[in-house]
Amino acid sequence: MEINGIPAHPLVIHAAVVLVPLAALSVIAFVVPRWRAAARWPALVLTVVATVAVQLATLTGENLEETRGPDNALIHEHAEWGERLQVLMYVLAVLVVVAFLVMPVVHRATGRDRPARVAVLEKPLMVLLPLLAVAAVVIVVITGDLGAQSVWGG
């Protein structure tokens, strides 16, 4: 796949590199009860958009690997980390959607949380979401570093 004669992958990956950390920060903010009302929508939108960006990066990367580097071990490792990021982002996106629907939100007028719709999910989500958000940032850095090494050597 090409855009104006340039492989699409190096153009698309920049969206993932920017959006995954932004989504991670918004997810971490969403877990903090005091910030939840303000961070709900950004966490949901950024996570879904980042997941789409990672999906596009994976698709364009697979195409680029087939055409330009099928026997390159570094590119293969980069692709494997990209696939791990893809799976992690799908899991994170699903959990953010669930949290968006079930987590309590502080009402500005009363200053109190509305009760969680499914209270049993609140504590596991408060633990899982920040862990997955940090893992996504770590994996996007590892994946990006491997991709840069495959292009620039090193």
Side-chain angles (χ1 to χ4, degrees):
M1 282 183 242
E2 292 184 353
I3 299 173
N4 205 20
I6 299 171
H9 185 66
L11 300 172
V12 172
I13 59 159
H14 290 90
V17 168
V18 170
L19 291 170
V20 169
L22 285 175
L25 286 173
S26 66
V27 167
I28 291 168
F30 177 58
V31 173
V32 178
R34 171 181 269 164
W35 299 339
R36 191 169 300 143
R40 279 178 97 219
W41 281 102
L44 179 68
V45 171
L46 285 169
T47 303
V48 169
V49 173
T51 303
V52 170
V54 168
Q55 175 65 34
L56 289 173
T58 303
L59 289 173
T60 58
E62 288 171 351
N63 182 266
L64 189 61
E65 182 182 19
E66 289 172 9
T67 60
R68 300 207 180 159
D71 298 329
N72 186 318
L74 197 53
I75 290 175
H76 182 68
E77 186 177 359
H78 167 69
E80 286 181 0
W81 279 99
E83 289 169 3
R84 289 179 185 123
L85 178 62
Q86 182 184 26
V87 170
L88 178 72
M89 289 306 296
Y90 281 133
V91 171
L92 182 61
V94 167
L95 290 179
V96 166
V97 169
V98 169
F100 182 86
L101 296 173
V102 303
M103 296 271 286
V105 178
V106 174
H107 287 287
R108 295 194 189 281
T110 64
R112 291 195 213 149
D113 280 352
R114 70 165 166 78
R117 291 190 180 142
V118 184
V120 72
L121 294 177
E122 185 177 359
K123 288 192 179 168
L125 286 170
M126 289 183 77
V127 172
L128 284 173
L129 287 173
L131 288 176
L132 292 174
V134 170
V137 172
V138 169
I139 292 175
V140 85
V141 168
I142 291 169
T143 305
D145 182 56
L146 289 166
Q149 286 180 38
S150 72
V151 171
W152 302 106

